[in-house]
Amino acid sequence: MSSPPTSTPLLDGAPRAHPAPGASPSKPPYCGHGPGAVRQLVLALVCAGYAVGSACGWGSDRTALVMGDFGLAAAAGTAAVSCFLYARNRRIRFRPAWLLFGISSTMAALGNLVWGWYEVVLNRPVPSPSFADLFFLCFAPPAIVGLLVLAARPVTKAGWVCLALDAWLIAGSLLTLSWSLALAQAARLDGPSVAHAALSLAYPLLDIALVSMVLVLHFRRSPVNRTAVNTAVGALALTVMCDALFTSPLMHHSYRSGQLLDAGWFAGSLLLAYAPWAADRQHRRGEDGHTRVVHEHLPGRRAARRTGVTPPRRDPRPLPPGEHARYPATRPITGSLAALTPYLAAAVCTLGILYNVLNGRSVDRVVLLTGGTVVLALVVRQGIMLLDNITLTQELAQKENYFRSLVQGSSDVIMIAAPSGILRYVSPAAVGVYGRSAEDLVGTELAHLIHPEDLGCVVHEVRRFLAASPQEEPTTRIECRFRSGDGGWLNVESTVNRHQGGLILNSRDVTERVRLQAQLQHNAEHDPLTDLPNRALFTRRVRQALSGRRSSDRGTALRNTAVLFIDLDGFKAVNDTIGHQAGDELLVQAARRLQDSVRQGDTASRLGGDEFAALIVGDGTRDRSARERHIVDLADRLRVTLSQPYLIDGSEVRVAASIGVAFAETGLGAGELLRNADLAMYRAKAGGKGRVELYKPQMQQDVVRKAELATRLRAALHDGEFALLHQPVVRLEDGRIASVAAQARWRSSQGVLFTPAEFLRVSQDADDSDKTAELGRWTLEEAVAQAADRAANGLNLPVVVRVGARRLLDRSMPLGSVEALLTRHGLPPGSLVAELSDIDSRVPLDDLERRLGALRRLGVRIALDGFGGCVAITALRRLPVDVLKLDRGLVEGVVESARLHKITSGLLRIAGDLGLQSVAEGVDLPEQVVALRAMGCTHGQGMAFSGALDEYRLRRALSRGDYPVPHGPVEPAFAGGGTATYTSGIAAVLGGTPLRSHNETHVPPT
């Protein structure tokens, strides 16, 4: 993505907030359509018809009386029924208020019925007082209490006091004015009776109380179901206004039922009947609990009190011009009137007093009393408001200090950007974070401070954020590079909020975190010692090299891509001789040489231990053979470079390098390419080390064959295809069988037995391979079991089992398992001889000595195999040995070579001087028997006596007990110190019959 010009404003041109895609648009406000509009039209027509009829006198006096009395009763009864029906639902809010309004309407209906009874039915004037007055007087108290229920209840004691003072200010002002105008005359008891005077005062006083509550409710009404509440307040206000006109001296004496004044009461009753059902369907369903509407929270608006109904959710889009009046965020007119209420009350009281003074009348005591109490209430209320204002001012100042302290003391930088992208405010923390003062940043365009490479992403994220719904995504997070005061770039993470079409950014410096993440990422992909790419990163780069080429040149470049797998020969000896620290230094120097030997675009890697690798990327050369020669030459030069002496702690250390090379092919994956290079490297090590070997498919086939062999060996052991044969070990002095050597054979499907050398010939190190470990355990357990069985049948003879030295040390055969094996089969420990093999410099003699000593303490005898071959004198000196077994190479040439004769004779003298038994392995000729016995060898094993026998033939041989051996002195004849030939005495000793070897017994298939 190309970066936009740095002069591009960050916010200008960005789309403003719109509903999220897929979201259903919010419903427009109720505008009078549907059943509600029909009801309103019917209500208006009925009220207008009644008003027209009243103005025309209804055509006759009789009709005027009926409509003026029973018509009003019907309207009030309708209001009562409507309120009671609406209040049946127990889940609606303000249910008691609607019940009280129903009771109040019932009283009005009963009063009109009584009035009509006198005027219409009895056809005589209504007495004063009467039951109608009683019902009419009972109209106001329930309505007053209902209005109190609808009012928003204060949450503090001061709020309750202000509510009471506001009510008295309104009521006292109206009482003062009314008393000055008319009530003073009604209170002079110049009427027919005291009851009539009291009744004259009761009506206006109750009306004053009711109108006071109406005015108080207008300023303090609950925000829930405003339409219904406003309609009810309007209905009661209309009723009170008609009551006031009725009680005034101008109309009281001239009033007759059916006049125009009745139209006001009629309309007030019908409005009260319509009020519960005035809310739109959405509000009513919300009250019933069937629909839950979530409202939008507007910043700066105080959260509505939790109620059963929530206001409808408004459209989050900005309102067009002219729409703000329909959805005001606040109510400034209402608030202003509420604030002016005390002053209006004082003005009304003043007008009442001035009226009396201007008329030349003395000020009435009631006017003075009510006016004084109104003024006192005004003073108290103003005092409370003053204290409240002082408290609010202190709280506001305290909160302002809190916010100022938070903003100025915050380590994060708070910035406010205008819709144009210009910074309007920057907190003082910018000095510590950006190295620039807040004054320098204010007025700067935000886009000029963001790195050009990051600006495009930032603009895209900001525009996406502004286009999203504020409810679904109130904030977003942006990370980019920000210009610092010294001209450098800082990594900054910002939390972004909306603010009047612009943005509020809460930013913090995360440069150290980014550096740490980069360092952790580097550490996860690089070797900690050499800082070369590790196996994971190297594999990923190989994968990229194999798949990231253009289609036009991918084939040629792919074929020329190669992987070099490198192993340092002799590195383990460096660790064992001069220490691991020196070995680490050698690895570091080798990594530096490898890094310097490859090209800039190639990759050198340390895979682990002393294994390295190099990825040589193809250069597009068409001649593949030339490219291969170049890679091989590079590998050979690298081999020479890595094989040069290393200077470590003032001393030269030498190691060699074996390198395997594998070329990429079409359809070959990264793992397979690395595997091929690894196979080629192991072939180089097997071929003599310090070599370069190219991968060939035959290498993979050899690996597959080895894996198949391991699988076949495990299957053969499981299926019982292995057989255990025993070869007698004969005492050369008298031919007696001293012991038997256990030998495993693999029986083919044709019944042919294969020796371990035959079926493990593809293995480079059979005794140390995993696939022979299980075979060795099986051989030991089977040999002990068969030896115990022979001992139980009277053929108790020691059994010799070959055991690898490395297998003894890797705990594959714990000491307890040998003892448990002998105990389980009942074989005495002295009947087991452990023949130790594969002793070399890699075997720690200290551990081996402790291991063999523990076996000897059990009673197991130890035989040392290959004596005279690769077995060092140190092993003989250190290890607890009972039997020395001559190497087969010495036995084969002991008759023909005078040198071997002398060497063998010397080794046998050493065995005799140490008091050890000696066993010659591979004694296949009678001449060898004679020569070995003459040199002092005590035992022999080979075809001169018997091959490996199965259990049946072994028991027959053990029953016989011995084999024939030559007797008598034999003198060798050497010709010029060369060969030695035993020429006399053999045939005579054996009675003229030459010795013949015993071939290995053939075992038929089973």
Side-chain angles (χ1 to χ4, degrees):
M1 180 178 66
S2 61
S3 301
T6 56
S7 60
T8 302
L10 184 64
L11 301 180
D12 280 0
R16 296 302 182 240
H18 294 286
S24 60
S26 59
K27 294 183 179 180
Y30 181 74
C31 55
H33 300 290
V38 175
R39 290 195 296 266
Q40 293 175 7
L41 181 59
V42 171
L43 177 64
L45 291 176
V46 172
C47 293
Y50 192 94
V52 171
S54 300
C56 298
W58 296 105
S60 66
D61 295 340
R62 185 72 176 178
T63 304
L65 291 176
V66 171
M67 295 303 297
D69 295 333
F70 293 109
L72 292 181
T78 302
V81 172
S82 175
C83 293
F84 286 140
L85 288 177
Y86 184 73
R88 285 192 311 169
N89 190 346
R90 297 182 179 274
R91 291 181 295 179
I92 64 171
R93 293 297 304 273
F94 306 124
R95 180 171 176 264
W98 297 109
L99 289 174
L100 290 170
F101 291 155
I103 295 173
S104 181
S105 298
T106 302
M107 295 295 103
L110 293 176
N112 282 297
L113 286 176
V114 173
W115 197 283
W117 175 263
Y118 282 106
E119 286 190 336
V120 177
V121 178
L122 300 181
N123 196 17
R124 65 185 180 89
V126 181
S128 180
S130 66
F131 287 104
D133 296 321
L134 177 62
F135 289 124
F136 286 142
L137 290 176
C138 291
F139 167 81
I144 293 173
V145 178
L147 290 174
L148 287 175
V149 173
L150 289 178
R153 298 180 182 180
V155 295
T156 61
K157 294 181 179 179
W160 283 105
V161 173
C162 288
L163 177 62
L165 291 175
D166 289 342
W168 172 245
L169 285 172
I170 297 173
S173 301
L174 294 178
L175 179 59
T176 302
L177 183 60
S178 301
W179 193 272
S180 299
L181 296 177
L183 295 183
Q185 299 177 5
R188 292 176 181 172
L189 301 180
D190 55 355
S193 64
V194 176
H196 182 272
L199 187 62
S200 301
L201 292 176
Y203 278 111
L205 292 178
L206 288 175
D207 288 337
I208 289 173
L210 186 57
V211 75
S212 301
M213 294 309 304
V214 168
L215 292 176
V216 170
L217 180 60
H218 177 70
F219 298 121
R220 294 178 176 267
R221 62 184 180 275
S222 173
V224 178
N225 202 353
R226 284 185 183 273
T227 305
V229 174
N230 289 337
T231 305
V233 171
L236 294 176
L238 183 59
T239 303
V240 170
M241 183 181 67
C242 294
D243 287 346
L245 293 175
F246 172 76
T247 57
S248 65
L250 298 177
M251 297 185 63
H252 181 69
H253 298 289
S254 62
Y255 170 78
R256 287 180 57 86
S257 297
Q259 293 180 353
L260 188 60
L261 186 60
D262 290 343
W265 282 315
F266 184 84
S269 297
L270 290 187
L271 278 177
L272 188 58
Y274 172 72
W277 318 98
D280 55 64
R281 183 177 302 176
Q282 184 177 9
H283 279 156
R284 292 201 303 271
R285 292 181 61 185
E287 289 184 353
D288 294 342
H290 300 296
T291 301
R292 182 176 183 268
V293 182
V294 181
H295 71 279
E296 177 184 5
H297 175 72
L298 297 177
R301 176 177 294 182
R302 185 171 300 175
R305 186 174 302 173
R306 303 188 62 173
T307 60
V309 181
T310 54
R313 180 178 177 177
R314 300 192 186 276
D315 195 337
R317 291 173 291 186
L319 296 175
E323 287 293 310
H324 295 282
R326 296 179 60 187
Y327 304 108
T330 58
R331 300 172 61 218
I333 298 177
T334 304
S336 300
L337 291 177
L340 291 175
T341 300
Y343 305 100
L344 293 176
V348 169
C349 292
T350 304
L351 288 177
I353 298 174
L354 288 177
Y355 178 79
N356 288 329
V357 173
L358 292 177
N359 288 337
R361 293 180 297 183
S362 61
V363 180
D364 193 276
R365 288 177 297 178
V366 175
V367 173
L368 291 176
L369 179 62
T370 55
T373 54
V374 167
V375 173
L376 179 61
L378 177 62
V379 172
V380 173
R381 190 181 188 282
Q382 288 299 105
I384 294 176
M385 290 184 61
L386 180 60
L387 293 176
D388 193 18
N389 289 335
I390 293 174
T391 303
L392 292 177
T393 303
Q394 292 176 350
E395 292 179 358
L396 181 61
Q398 186 178 15
K399 290 181 179 180
E400 185 178 356
N401 291 331
Y402 288 161
F403 284 115
R404 182 181 295 108
S405 300
L406 288 174
V407 171
Q408 295 182 354
S410 174
S411 59
D412 295 349
V413 180
I414 300 175
M415 299 182 294
I416 299 178
S420 61
I422 303 298
L423 292 178
R424 297 305 185 193
Y425 173 79
V426 179
S427 65
V431 176
V433 176
Y434 300 145
R436 303 177 63 179
S437 63
E439 292 77 9
D440 294 340
L441 292 175
V442 172
T444 307
E445 189 173 339
L446 186 59
H448 291 163
L449 302 174
I450 299 175
H451 196 282
E453 297 179 359
D454 301 339
L455 183 58
C457 297
V458 172
V459 170
H460 174 75
E461 174 62 21
V462 168
R463 291 180 176 177
R464 185 204 63 78
F465 171 67
L466 293 177
S469 172
Q471 288 73 30
E472 296 178 357
E473 191 173 4
T475 63
T476 188
R477 191 179 298 270
I478 295 176
E479 187 169 336
C480 63
R481 284 168 289 181
F482 204 85
R483 189 184 301 276
S484 63
D486 57 1
W489 297 98
L490 299 173
N491 293 94
V492 175
E493 181 186 65
S494 301
T495 302
V496 183
N497 295 271
R498 298 173 180 84
H499 175 68
Q500 297 179 358
L503 299 175
I504 298 179
L505 298 96
N506 192 348
S507 306
R508 62 202 62 87
D509 182 11
V510 294
T511 304
E512 291 301 324
R513 190 193 70 185
V514 173
R515 290 176 182 172
L516 179 60
Q517 289 176 346
Q519 184 64 39
L520 292 176
Q521 182 69 21
H522 179 84
N523 294 342
E525 295 179 341
H526 289 76
D527 176 59
L529 179 63
T530 62
D531 203 39
L532 291 179
N534 58 14
R535 182 183 294 271
L537 180 57
F538 183 76
T539 304
R540 185 164 66 251
R541 291 188 178 178
V542 172
R543 189 179 299 112
Q544 293 173 355
L546 297 181
S547 61
R549 295 287 178 175
R550 298 191 304 270
S551 59
S552 58
D553 61 351
R554 185 174 181 271
T556 303
L558 179 64
R559 287 192 298 270
N560 293 333
T561 299
V563 170
L564 278 59
F565 212 100
I566 307 163
D567 184 85
L568 300 181
D569 303 322
F571 176 74
K572 185 177 183 304
V574 175
N575 279 337
D576 294 340
T577 54
I578 61 178
H580 289 274
Q581 185 174 358
D584 292 343
E585 177 62 26
L586 190 149
L587 291 176
V588 172
Q589 295 185 23
R592 190 178 303 116
R593 294 182 185 182
L594 176 60
Q595 185 69 43
D596 295 340
S597 300
V598 298
R599 298 174 303 178
Q600 185 68 28
D602 299 332
T603 301
S605 169
R606 182 193 176 200
L607 303 182
D610 60 342
E611 291 184 345
F612 295 85
L615 171 64
I616 310 300
V617 181
D619 55 4
T621 304
R622 295 290 178 178
D623 189 355
R624 181 175 180 179
S625 60
R627 176 63 176 168
E628 288 185 358
R629 287 194 301 271
H630 173 70
I631 295 296
V632 172
D633 291 343
L634 173 63
D636 192 66
R637 290 195 303 270
L638 183 59
R639 177 191 63 80
V640 174
T641 300
L642 295 177
S643 301
Q644 295 297 322
Y646 295 86
L647 186 61
I648 300 176
D649 294 336
S651 301
E652 288 189 354
V653 179
R654 293 180 178 269
V655 294
S658 297
I659 302 177
V661 181
F663 287 93
E665 299 290 344
T666 303
L668 199 66
E672 296 170 327
L673 182 59
L674 289 174
R675 179 205 62 194
N676 294 345
D678 192 18
L679 291 176
M681 185 271 294
Y682 275 105
R683 180 59 61 91
K685 292 177 71 70
K689 300 181 179 181
R691 301 172 66 251
V692 175
E693 191 77 28
L694 285 177
Y695 170 78
K696 297 179 178 58
Q698 182 64 33
M699 299 178 184
Q700 178 63 21
Q701 296 175 6
D702 292 342
V703 173
V704 173
R705 281 198 301 270
K706 290 179 182 180
E708 292 177 350
L709 175 62
T711 303
R712 290 178 60 193
L713 284 176
R714 286 190 291 268
L717 286 170
H718 182 268
D719 298 338
E721 296 182 9
F722 276 88
L724 190 65
L725 305 183
H726 295 81
Q727 189 174 27
V729 178
V730 180
R731 192 162 53 191
L732 298 182
E733 181 180 358
D734 52 9
R736 300 289 298 176
I737 301 175
S739 60
V740 291
Q743 300 176 2
R745 297 291 187 269
W746 188 3
R747 182 188 297 111
S748 68
S749 58
Q750 292 79 22
V752 179
L753 294 177
F754 295 98
T755 64
E758 291 171 334
F759 62 72
L760 295 177
R761 63 179 179 273
V762 295
S763 177
Q764 297 177 359
D765 195 353
D767 288 330
D768 197 33
S769 62
D770 294 336
K771 56 180 170 289
T772 59
E774 188 174 357
L775 176 61
R777 289 191 291 268
W778 176 86
T779 302
L780 177 61
E781 185 167 358
E782 192 69 16
V784 171
Q786 293 186 13
D789 185 65
R790 290 193 295 271
N793 292 316
L795 301 175
N796 190 6
L797 204 66
V799 60
V800 181
V801 182
R802 193 176 187 190
V803 181
R806 286 190 290 275
R807 284 189 52 227
L808 283 174
L809 293 181
D810 66 9
R811 303 296 177 177
S812 63
M813 188 179 66
L815 298 180
S817 64
V818 175
E819 184 178 12
L821 182 64
L822 297 174
T823 303
R824 184 169 68 250
H825 293 285
L827 183 68
S831 298
L832 177 62
V833 180
E835 184 177 302
L836 198 63
S837 63
D838 65 21
I839 300 179
D840 54 27
S841 59
R842 294 175 294 175
V843 178
L845 294 181
D846 293 338
D847 297 340
L848 185 59
E849 181 182 4
R850 288 191 294 269
R851 188 77 166 156
L852 294 178
L855 286 174
R856 288 192 69 191
R857 286 191 292 272
L858 289 176
V860 178
R861 292 192 295 166
I862 307 299
L864 185 62
D865 186 30
F867 183 65
C870 298
V871 178
I873 299 300
T874 303
L876 179 62
R877 179 178 62 86
R878 297 279 303 275
L879 301 179
V881 177
D882 301 299
V883 180
L884 289 177
K885 197 167 188 178
L886 288 178
D887 187 76
R888 181 181 291 272
L890 296 176
V891 176
E892 289 177 351
V894 72
V895 177
E896 294 83 5
S897 173
R899 182 181 296 274
L900 286 180
H901 185 276
K902 292 179 180 180
I903 293 174
T904 305
S905 177
L907 294 175
L908 291 174
R909 282 197 300 272
I910 292 175
D913 293 341
L914 294 176
L916 304 177
Q917 293 182 1
S918 56
V919 178
E921 184 181 10
V923 183
D924 297 333
L925 300 174
E927 293 85 355
Q928 296 172 347
V929 176
V930 174
L932 291 170
R933 189 182 64 178
M935 285 184 283
C937 183
T938 60
H939 295 78
Q941 173 186 345
M943 298 301 296
F945 305 107
S946 174
L949 306 176
D950 61 4
E951 188 65 22
Y952 172 74
R953 289 177 173 82
L954 176 63
R955 295 200 179 198
R956 288 182 55 189
L958 294 179
S959 299
R960 189 171 61 249
D962 56 5
Y963 287 95
V965 294
H967 294 285
V970 179
E971 295 295 334
F974 296 101
T979 60
T981 305
Y982 293 86
T983 58
S984 62
I986 297 178
V989 171
L990 298 178
T993 303
L995 282 173
R996 121 182 120 76
S997 359
H998 301 272
N999 294 327
E1000 182 174 317
T1001 305
H1002 176 76
V1003 179
T1006 56

